[in-house]
Amino acid sequence: MPAHPHLQSLHEALAEAGAWERDALERLADLPVDERIAAGVAWPACTIEEVRWASRDALRLTLRAPPGVTLHDGISPGDRVDVETARGRLQGRVDDADARWAEVRVRGDVEPDQRAVVTLRFDPTTWRRYADALARADGHRSELRDVLLGERAPGHPSSHPPPLLDDRLNASQREAAEHALACAELALIHGPPGTGKTQVMVALLRSLVPHERPWALADSNAAVDHLVGRAVEAGLDVVRVGAWGRMSAIGREYALKQRVERGPYGEALRVMDRDLSRLVGRDDRESRSAYGRLLGERRDLITRAEDAALASAQVIATTLGTLAWRAPHLPRPTTALVDEATQALEPAIWTVVPYVERLFLLGDPHQLGPVVRAPSSPLERSMLARLVEPGATALPMPMLATQHRMHRDIQALVEPVYGDTYEPHPAVAEHRLADLPGVAETPLTTRATLWIDTAGAEADEELDPATRSTFNGLEVEVVAAVVQQLREAGVPSGLIGVITPYNAQVRELKEALPSGVEAATVNAFQGQEREVIVCSWVRSNPDGDLGFVADRRRLTVALTRARRLLVCVGDSATLGGDAAFSEVLDLLHEQDAVQSVWEPPWSEVLE
């Protein structure tokens, strides 16, 4: 266990959070299959379409979802799972998955044409790696470590920083980037919604690559892949490191695996794979010996090929979770950049510290922090949020001020959070849905904000008995009516996003919405945007109980996902008791943007 008090407290919090998550998942895994599926920890019984060898002692199963059923994303590539068939239960790991198909690797005897239920298992790997990272950081004394722990002030800025190689940045972006390039150990950049954090990060990478091979990091695979795409567009040579099954198409295109296969070692590896496939399934001693020898040679060749591929790239991009075990095997940079730093567990950031001299953290402390299921965990506070708290070491954090996303009326709802220096770019300040090709002018498409108030309509929340998550049936109907009006006005489904704080409400919404309209939790949608966002707040009770919906950061995220139209559906009598919601409702009243569900056309759902 680390000796430093702060690192020790993080280590203890990791152990508690991991144990809580393990116990919660094991309780769900013991439920009947239908309840497991409803809780999002199991898939409906799938058909095993194909069984083939993945290696000498592992099988790869191709699973097909039942007709008319989609495989939810509660289980995703890389997850550990149990695979239950009529012959028993096997442990495995998901290699790849989409809404209709999944590839799962297992060890054991499985026959095709069986039915199989896949259930999520607790995976302690990341928890252990982060705990090891804290111990490693505790024993690694450096100026960066001491600054992060508040044991010394940051060093003086460099008088000769590398030049900023991007003339497309606006004034606040340029100021933030130049501040980071001049810092000695640590730079913090505050990027409110829509202000171009990724553009600044790419500009920083372009300025660093003539001098070093920086690491570009983020907590999620989606964020890393987005960053890879933007960096490639800017002409940078990027290699994406991580699990193939968790990458998007752009991540896979620039993945280390692809770079190896297309490189000078690729053909030799393909020959080895053909030779190995001929030996799979043979049980004679000579074949087993040849298989083992060839497998060892292949591993050595892959190591050489990966080292060469990494050495030839300008930027190495990966998640903090992958870095926790890959860092010792990557070329070391001087600088690491972490995008969306407020979403990462603090121990995840500590995985970087022993390997670099300088760290840039880009994020927004007013948005949601790390997702920690254990209640009241210290891990809910990110490193960036800790560093800028009152009383912490005084660190400058320049703010990106011009947003390129929201209509000015939407932005006005978060002005109390970001201040009056946060402003819309003229290109977005007045844009409307009705300005888009093929979209008709209607009462919805010509406005920017709307709150549909369900107060007094007996829109009481309900609790899902299996998942203990909250949902609201009347709000689902109202949201569906909003989406129908938008579609009838010509708004394409892909431009509409529906968000809500609760998983149970997501499930209800997905059943009610047309194909192509994405529904997700507010947490899952952080970092994304749509032309239209419809938000269902769910909570409606006589006690004014908001639960975690009372987190101001969740409200800020929800209000800032929309570009041209934001529609909220909620009970003002319940939500208005909270100061932040009351403030937003007052601003919406000033915009004449509050309508009762008793008013047409919304009153039709009450009939």
Side-chain angles (χ1 to χ4, degrees):
M1 184 177 293
H4 190 280
H6 178 65
L7 298 179
Q8 182 179 352
S9 69
L10 292 176
H11 189 280
E12 292 169 355
L14 270 178
E16 292 172 3
W20 195 95
E21 185 165 304
R22 179 198 62 221
D23 294 345
L25 188 54
E26 288 177 353
R27 284 194 299 271
L28 290 173
D30 287 337
L31 294 171
V33 172
D34 287 349
E35 293 183 23
R36 274 185 263 161
I37 295 168
V41 297
W43 283 332
C46 299
T47 301
I48 302 176
E49 290 276 312
E50 184 181 14
V51 179
R52 61 189 188 279
W53 289 102
S55 65
R56 187 166 186 83
D57 58 352
L59 299 173
R60 181 177 287 112
L61 314 181
T62 300
L63 306 178
R64 177 171 54 82
V69 173
T70 59
L71 301 181
H72 60 71
D73 56 6
I75 303 174
S76 58
D79 285 341
R80 291 190 179 188
V81 293
D82 286 331
V83 179
E84 301 170 68
T85 69
R87 301 181 62 173
R89 176 181 294 189
L90 299 173
Q91 294 184 357
R93 187 180 293 274
V94 179
D95 281 345
D96 207 352
D98 62 20
R100 298 286 301 136
W101 298 86
E103 300 251 332
V104 181
R105 186 187 301 246
V106 299
R107 283 182 166 81
D109 187 19
V110 184
E111 296 293 331
D113 300 322
Q114 295 185 72
R115 303 276 279 172
V117 174
V118 176
T119 302
L120 189 66
R121 293 177 58 230
F122 174 68
D123 187 350
T125 306
T126 299
W127 300 98
R128 286 200 302 261
R129 287 172 178 166
Y130 286 165
D132 291 344
L134 290 173
R136 191 179 303 113
D138 189 54
H140 175 79
R141 301 308 299 260
S142 69
E143 294 177 350
L144 173 59
R145 171 193 179 276
D146 293 345
V147 169
L148 292 172
L149 292 173
E151 295 182 347
R152 67 180 295 273
H156 294 294
S158 169
S159 57
H160 299 288
L164 181 61
L165 301 180
D166 196 323
D167 57 5
R168 297 168 297 174
L169 302 184
N170 62 40
S172 63
Q173 290 173 331
R174 175 171 290 276
E175 178 186 350
E178 289 176 343
H179 159 74
L181 291 171
C183 80
E185 304 93 5
L186 177 65
L188 310 179
I189 296 177
H190 182 192
T195 53
K197 289 192 304 297
T198 303
Q199 184 176 356
V200 172
M201 194 163 177
V202 171
L204 288 168
L205 291 171
R206 288 186 61 202
S207 303
L208 291 169
V209 293
H211 314 283
E212 59 170 302
R213 187 182 298 108
W215 288 351
L217 310 170
D219 186 58
S220 71
N221 284 283
V224 174
D225 288 344
H226 175 66
L227 180 57
V228 167
R230 293 289 298 276
V232 169
E233 288 174 3
L236 292 172
D237 182 10
V238 185
V239 61
R240 170 70 160 95
V241 177
W244 178 264
R246 293 183 182 268
M247 296 180 196
S248 67
I250 190 68
R252 291 180 177 184
E253 176 66 19
Y254 297 96
L256 179 59
K257 174 183 175 181
Q258 284 280 59
R259 203 175 182 103
V260 166
E261 291 179 355
R262 294 168 177 170
Y265 296 90
E267 184 56 35
L269 286 168
R270 285 187 286 274
V271 171
M272 283 185 169
D273 287 341
R274 286 195 294 269
D275 292 343
L276 284 167
S277 67
R278 296 189 187 102
L279 295 170
V280 168
R282 297 184 184 179
D283 289 331
D284 59 281
R285 180 180 298 178
E286 183 178 349
S287 295
R288 289 198 300 270
S289 175
Y291 186 93
R293 183 175 63 256
L294 189 57
L295 196 62
E297 292 174 0
R298 184 182 185 276
R299 281 195 294 265
D300 291 342
L301 186 58
I302 286 178
T303 298
R304 294 199 301 274
E306 289 185 345
D307 288 346
L310 291 166
S312 66
Q314 291 178 313
V315 177
I316 295 172
T318 189
T319 64
L320 293 162
T322 295
L323 189 76
W325 65 279
R326 290 296 301 255
H329 311 292
L330 299 177
R332 293 195 181 188
T334 300
T335 310
L337 298 79
V338 182
D339 197 11
E340 302 291 1
T342 45
Q343 296 180 32
L345 294 171
E346 179 164 349
I349 305 292
W350 282 103
T351 63
V352 189
V353 176
Y355 302 99
V356 300
E357 299 175 17
R358 190 165 61 164
L359 186 62
F360 299 167
L361 301 180
L362 295 83
D364 180 7
H366 299 304
Q367 295 192 56
L368 288 167
V371 176
V372 185
R373 293 181 175 86
S376 304
S377 172
L379 298 176
E380 291 178 340
R381 180 183 64 171
S382 68
M383 176 184 281
L384 191 152
R386 173 178 67 81
L387 292 170
V388 298
E389 284 180 346
T393 302
L395 289 166
M397 187 171 66
M399 187 179 98
L400 310 181
T402 303
Q403 62 89 3
H404 298 258
R405 176 183 299 168
M406 294 167 277
H407 187 285
R408 66 169 69 254
D409 287 351
I410 301 173
Q411 182 196 293
L413 304 180
V414 292
E415 187 172 305
V417 176
Y418 296 110
D420 56 10
T421 59
Y422 183 49
E423 60 183 10
H425 189 275
V428 303
E430 301 292 343
H431 64 181
R432 311 171 307 161
L433 272 179
D435 299 331
L436 294 173
V439 177
E441 291 199 2
T442 72
L444 261 183
T445 63
T446 53
R447 66 187 314 138
T449 57
L450 177 65
W451 184 291
I452 302 174
D453 190 2
T454 62
E458 298 183 357
D460 294 343
E461 67 193 53
E462 299 178 67
L463 193 66
D464 186 292
T467 66
R468 314 305 294 172
S469 181
T470 309
F471 66 99
N472 189 312
L474 180 63
E475 288 195 15
V476 171
E477 294 183 50
V478 176
V479 169
V482 172
V483 171
Q484 181 179 349
Q485 285 204 19
L486 291 168
R487 293 290 295 114
E488 290 174 353
V491 180
S493 295
L495 302 187
I496 305 169
V498 177
I499 59 176
T500 180
Y502 292 97
N503 282 306
Q505 188 76 342
V506 171
R507 187 182 69 242
E508 299 292 321
L509 287 163
K510 285 183 174 179
E511 293 180 0
L513 294 174
S515 175
V517 176
E518 182 179 1
T521 63
V522 178
N523 294 61
F525 224 84
Q526 184 164 253
Q528 299 187 58
E529 62 182 59
R530 291 290 187 278
E531 299 296 335
V532 188
I533 290 291
V534 186
C535 181
S536 167
W537 285 110
V538 178
R539 301 311 296 254
S540 179
N541 58 74
D543 302 320
D545 180 15
L546 269 61
F548 65 71
V549 172
D551 187 333
R552 178 64 184 256
R553 297 171 302 171
R554 182 167 282 103
L555 174 59
T556 299
V557 171
L559 296 176
T560 54
R561 300 305 96 198
R563 289 176 50 79
R564 298 170 189 261
L565 173 63
L566 169 68
V567 180
C568 289
V569 180
D571 181 350
S572 66
T574 298
L575 298 166
D578 175 83
F581 274 95
S582 178
E583 190 173 53
V584 169
L585 283 163
D586 287 345
L587 290 166
L588 287 165
H589 276 292
E590 291 176 11
Q591 297 175 3
D592 194 24
V594 179
Q595 297 177 0
S596 172
V597 73
W598 293 99
E599 299 176 43
W602 319 118
S603 55
E604 294 178 9
V605 304
L606 303 177
E607 297 175 357

